[in-house]
Amino acid sequence: MATEGASSPWIRRFHPSDDAPVRLVCFPHAGGSASFYFPVSRSLAPAVDVITLQYPGRQDRRHEEGIGDLHDVAEVLTGELRPWADRPLVLFGHSMGASLAFEVGRRLERAGIVPAALVASGRRAPSRHRDEYVHRRDDEGLVRELKELSGTDPGALGDEEVLRMILPAIRSDYRAAETYRYRPGPDLSCPVWALVGDRDPKVTVDEARSWGDHTSGGFELKVFDGGHFFLAPHAAEVNRLLADCARDRVPRP
């Protein structure tokens, strides 16, 4: 069992499953926190040991500076996750988290740790760039974006005190996501699953399909009915997919 990093500010384990044969590492979206994946952890334990990541600038890390360049964050997280690679790691990221999971996966492979799989949700492939500038909007414009995507607690968006607390981290996350640029080089050798909503304004089905260009392993595309946060109404189906993915990726004797 990995014990290093157990007290790391980056790592959360809501339902530790030390005997599970595989670990799922969850990367939150821009503005998201580790608690977003609490239901995933509850659903998959104890068959899968679920690790969720907590970025700085939110919740118990709200007094820290928000995340910056995604490549720099990926370097930090690669070091944080290496102690947990005593069993296969499935990487699961939504939106910005998918880009970050991909970059962590590349770095793990360079270190000789090949992820069991990458599940990239609600995000265009790394090489499919869009010019986006939501992070440059004023606070009202940023809140409008959050409401349109429906990824933030509506109650929080109506509470001025809560808004003042969370907007800096959200803006920092958006800046990191929107200024991310894919750097050509070795990609992944593990299987990749791409999940996308058919009405997602942030990524088209074609942009999601291009994830297949970034792995020499197998690739599958799953299209859901819904927008950017299709995960919520399809939680049961997504959890089943993650469980199947984790189980199928465990090396057989």
Side-chain angles (χ1 to χ4, degrees):
M1 179 185 70
T3 56
E4 295 180 61
S7 60
S8 167
W10 293 89
I11 304 293
R12 300 290 183 275
R13 291 172 83 205
F14 298 119
H15 306 89
S17 301
D18 295 330
D19 295 328
V22 63
R23 287 196 169 101
L24 176 72
V25 184
C26 298
F27 296 72
H29 55 280
S33 62
S35 58
F36 180 80
Y37 290 114
F38 182 91
V40 175
S41 176
R42 180 177 55 199
S43 173
L44 300 189
V48 178
D49 186 32
V50 179
I51 291 175
T52 63
L53 300 177
Q54 183 78 311
Y55 308 143
R58 68 218 66 209
Q59 293 185 335
D60 58 323
R61 303 189 69 186
R62 63 185 178 278
H63 298 301
E64 300 179 44
E65 185 177 350
I67 67 173
D69 182 86
L70 287 190
H71 292 282
D72 293 340
V73 178
E75 290 286 348
V76 173
L77 286 175
T78 300
E80 292 285 343
L81 290 173
R82 289 186 69 166
W84 298 94
D86 58 332
R87 63 201 67 189
L89 298 177
V90 175
L91 309 180
F92 171 43
H94 182 69
S95 196
M96 178 190 75
S99 298
L100 193 50
F102 168 74
E103 291 295 342
V104 168
R106 296 175 92 185
R107 287 160 174 78
L108 286 172
E109 290 210 8
R110 289 203 293 266
I113 304 169
V114 179
L118 168 68
V119 182
S121 170
R123 183 67 169 170
R124 57 189 177 273
S127 55
R128 298 295 297 269
H129 174 68
R130 288 190 190 187
D131 288 323
E132 296 179 311
Y133 306 99
V134 173
H135 70 277
R136 296 183 182 177
R137 296 181 185 178
D138 59 17
D139 288 352
E140 183 178 341
L142 188 55
V143 170
R144 184 165 58 250
E145 166 83 359
L146 299 176
K147 289 180 177 179
E148 290 172 355
L149 294 181
S150 302
T152 303
D153 179 4
L157 296 179
D159 187 316
E160 184 176 348
E161 184 176 351
V162 173
L163 268 179
R164 283 200 304 269
M165 184 171 61
I166 67 175
L167 278 181
I170 293 174
R171 188 179 301 281
S172 176
D173 288 1
Y174 265 85
R175 182 184 301 110
E178 294 177 343
T179 59
Y180 166 74
R181 298 293 183 271
Y182 169 71
R183 298 173 182 173
D187 286 336
L188 299 174
S189 62
C190 66
V192 172
W193 276 257
L195 316 182
V196 64
D198 59 3
R199 299 187 303 280
D200 189 340
K202 308 297 286 186
V203 52
T204 66
V205 172
D206 184 61
E207 288 173 324
R209 186 178 289 111
S210 292
W211 277 99
D213 299 333
H214 294 280
T215 181
S216 59
F219 172 73
E220 292 189 29
L221 174 69
K222 177 68 174 178
V223 182
F224 292 84
D225 174 49
H228 190 59
F229 283 94
F230 65 87
L231 294 177
H234 296 285
E237 186 176 357
V238 171
N239 288 343
R240 284 195 298 271
L241 183 150
L242 291 172
D244 290 344
C245 174
R247 182 179 62 247
D248 292 346
R249 295 304 108 200
V250 176
R252 303 304 182 195

